[in-house]
Amino acid sequence: MVRKLALIIVFLGLAVVLLMAVRLGSFSAIDDAFISFRYAENFAAGHGLVFNIGEKVEGYSSTLFVLILSAFAKVLGRVRLGALAVGVLSHAALVALLISFLARFSSERLRTPLSVAGIAFLMFHPSVFAYASSGMETTLAAALLLSAIYAATAAGEKEGGRLQAAGCGVLLLAAALTRPEMILLAAPFTLWLFFAKPDRRLARVMAPMLIVAIGYGAFLLWRHAYFGQWQPNTYYAKTAGAGISLVPTGLMYVFDFANTTLIPYLLLALVGGVIMTRAKLPTWWWGTLGVVATQIVAVVYVGGDHFPLGRFLVPTIAPMLLLLVEGVRVLRDTMNRTNPNLAAMRLRPALWVLVVLLLPLSFALAMFYKNAGINFVRNGAQAAGWCELGQSMAGTSPPDTSAALIAIGAFGYCSGMPIVDLVGLTDPVIAKTPTDLSKSAPGHGRFNSRYVLQEKKPDYIFLQLRRVAVPVPEWVLRRGIVHLAGRNLVADKFFQEEYAFHRLAQYQGFVHYWSRREFESEDSNPGEYPVEGIKPEFPIHEPPTGIKRSDYFEDDNKRPAETQVPEGWEVW
């Protein structure tokens, strides 16, 4: 009773500390979070689980998270507050569970260097901390996964362990409803529970297997009845048909995650040491390792994600910390028994020094390796800007004006407009259009320009949502398009005939977009360049493809005004 009360106090204290840190920090909701927000608000308003009203498409990846947010929207009318609450509370629960696990199942004391480092890492490392405030389901999935590991470990410790095993099944089911790839973890958990103890194996495994099989089976039947598909539409948009072509991208994703956390490198070294010394580790250690390995393999297969800081691998951080803390202890004890001279050495001060060096290094890498943390902060700021743009465009456009774009989250949520998703997350036709997914950013490889232009016929097309300080000619935007969906769209003859380029002066800047000629007159917010009264910053006429600025200007210091180019545009 005292231990449970202490754990509750720790959890509440952590929640308060983390909430204050989130509110004072630089991280905020990223664009994809607003997709879940819009689904949740539409569901709470009685429109069903839809992004566009009347279109039943499962364009989200976390059913449980959307349902929780819809409860906040229904009761409090504050879906964004709900997302922040879920993120912070899940983060606090994650840290509290790590502390409880180490205190209950690990022989390593909480005051040892590795235990302290693990707790501090989980509390404040940018890879975990950022997603707690991102508005995404990531920390909820992480908390549910660690809870399932906790329950499975308890099932191996308790006499019989059937109740704890059943609890593991419930938590695993909840995790699978939060992140779809986590249903694959049923295999390592089943093996873990089966081999946890030699007695009553089938009785111990039966309950969690039935819970997951019946629960997830019922969910699949509901999904097919409601959406008409066995998998979420995001699966078809991001992964279906790719085979193993996304594996190289997935391996690079894991590599980047390892470089921003350092944990996988430490774990690989530990596993090597365990194999060499034949150290005897507890069953829960090997079970947790199997769970982590399965999650990593699944993430590699789907090619990872386009957001920085390893979103799909964040749920494995707490389990890997458990593996490190317990594994190092067992390895140390094994080496002490086989080498008495080593046992006489005082290594704890050296461990403290190592922790003091590695923790700041890992934090710095998370922020500055490929600018991952910096880009995450920018993503949040961009989403806020896209939200403002969506509100502005909705306020100046007729009702039911539709917009086509790639970053559909913040703009779609804040504008309320019908949205055409150019990469198909919320459109089943685009999601099932055959394309080579390995040639684009993860999750952004689908496109179907003819379908968009001739059947959906969006009123606005935004291929660059960013507000810029100076007017930009159309050719610069066309050449700056990154995604294949956008490139293919602007190259389509129908697009060139039916859509005109426009520029809107807004908030001491300019927003550029294309509009259907039948919808908006070319005289409305015209996109001509240069703009009267504003000194041109770019060449008026499009240079030949591949020509460098240094080749285009004989004397860069004496170029004519109509060919002014800002620094950084080295190749057009």
Side-chain angles (χ1 to χ4, degrees), residues 160-176:
R162 285 181 292 178
L163 181 61
Q164 291 76 16
C168 176
V170 171
L171 292 164
L172 181 57
L173 175 61

Side-chain angles (χ1 to χ4, degrees), residues 232-251:
N233 196 64
T234 52
Y235 165 77
Y236 298 104
K238 296 180 178 182
T239 306
I244 62 171
S245 65
L246 298 179
V247 169
T249 306
L251 290 172

Side-chain angles (χ1 to χ4, degrees), residues 140-213:
L140 175 62
L144 289 170
L145 177 58
L146 187 59
S147 298
I149 290 173
Y150 194 109
T153 305
E157 298 283 331
K158 288 279 187 178
E159 183 69 27
R162 285 181 292 178
L163 181 61
Q164 291 76 16
C168 176
V170 171
L171 292 164
L172 181 57
L173 175 61
L177 296 177
T178 304
R179 281 299 318 164
E181 71 276 3
M182 286 190 174
I183 188 61
L184 300 175
L185 302 183
F189 270 110
T190 300
L191 291 173
W192 177 358
L193 291 170
F194 184 82
F195 290 107
K197 290 187 298 185
D199 62 310
R200 311 183 72 175
R201 286 175 170 171
L202 288 178
R204 187 168 55 252
V205 169
M206 191 62 65
M209 286 179 61
L210 288 175
I211 289 170
V212 173

Side-chain angles (χ1 to χ4, degrees), residues 95 98-99 102 108-125 128 261 263 266 317-318 320-322 324-325 328 348 350-360 362-363:
V95 178
L98 179 70
I99 294 172
L102 291 174
E108 192 78 342
R109 292 182 299 171
L110 290 176
R111 290 179 293 177
T112 57
L114 286 178
S115 298
V116 171
I119 295 167
F121 187 102
L122 198 59
M123 281 188 69
F124 297 116
H125 193 271
V128 185
T261 62
I263 297 178
L266 298 174
I317 288 178
M320 283 195 284
L321 290 172
L322 291 176
L324 282 174
V325 173
V328 169
R348 180 167 293 185
L351 276 177
W352 277 113
V353 172
L354 187 63
V355 164
V356 170
L357 291 174
L358 286 181
L359 267 182
S362 178
F363 283 33

Side-chain angles (χ1 to χ4, degrees), residues 31-222:
D31 187 69
D32 275 23
F34 290 86
I35 298 176
S36 298
F37 297 171
R38 179 155 157 163
Y39 270 100
E41 288 200 350
N42 281 338
F43 186 64
H47 302 303
L49 285 169
V50 296
F51 192 77
N52 293 323
I53 295 174
E55 300 178 8
K56 290 184 178 180
V57 184
E58 192 179 0
Y60 54 85
S61 299
S62 179
T63 301
L64 181 60
F65 185 63
V66 168
L67 293 177
I68 293 172
L69 294 186
S70 67
F72 276 93
K74 187 73 173 179
V75 176
L76 300 177
R78 301 283 300 277
V79 67
R80 297 174 72 171
L81 176 64
L84 179 63
V86 171
V88 169
L89 293 176
S90 297
H91 191 183
L94 193 62
V95 178
L97 281 167
L98 179 70
I99 294 172
S100 178
F101 193 104
L102 291 174
R104 181 176 177 182
F105 299 116
S106 175
S107 301
E108 192 78 342
R109 292 182 299 171
L110 290 176
R111 290 179 293 177
T112 57
L114 286 178
S115 298
V116 171
I119 295 167
F121 187 102
L122 198 59
M123 281 188 69
F124 297 116
H125 193 271
S127 58
V128 185
F129 188 76
Y131 280 104
S133 56
S134 69
M136 302 291 284
E137 76 284 351
T138 309
T139 49
L140 175 62
L144 289 170
L145 177 58
L146 187 59
S147 298
I149 290 173
Y150 194 109
T153 305
E157 298 283 331
K158 288 279 187 178
E159 183 69 27
R162 285 181 292 178
L163 181 61
Q164 291 76 16
C168 176
V170 171
L171 292 164
L172 181 57
L173 175 61
L177 296 177
T178 304
R179 281 299 318 164
E181 71 276 3
M182 286 190 174
I183 188 61
L184 300 175
L185 302 183
F189 270 110
T190 300
L191 291 173
W192 177 358
L193 291 170
F194 184 82
F195 290 107
K197 290 187 298 185
D199 62 310
R200 311 183 72 175
R201 286 175 170 171
L202 288 178
R204 187 168 55 252
V205 169
M206 191 62 65
M209 286 179 61
L210 288 175
I211 289 170
V212 173
I214 294 173
Y216 204 75
F219 169 68
L220 289 178
L221 291 173
W222 168 83

Side-chain angles (χ1 to χ4, degrees), residues 400-419:
D400 296 324
T401 299
S402 60
L405 61 162
I406 293 174
I408 65 171
F411 184 96
Y413 173 76
C414 296
S415 70
M417 291 179 175
I419 296 295

Side-chain angles (χ1 to χ4, degrees), residues 506-518:
Q506 187 183 67
Y507 302 118
Q508 299 181 341
F510 298 88
V511 175
H512 299 80
Y513 62 96
W514 286 265
S515 182
R516 195 159 50 85
R517 297 181 193 275
E518 294 180 358

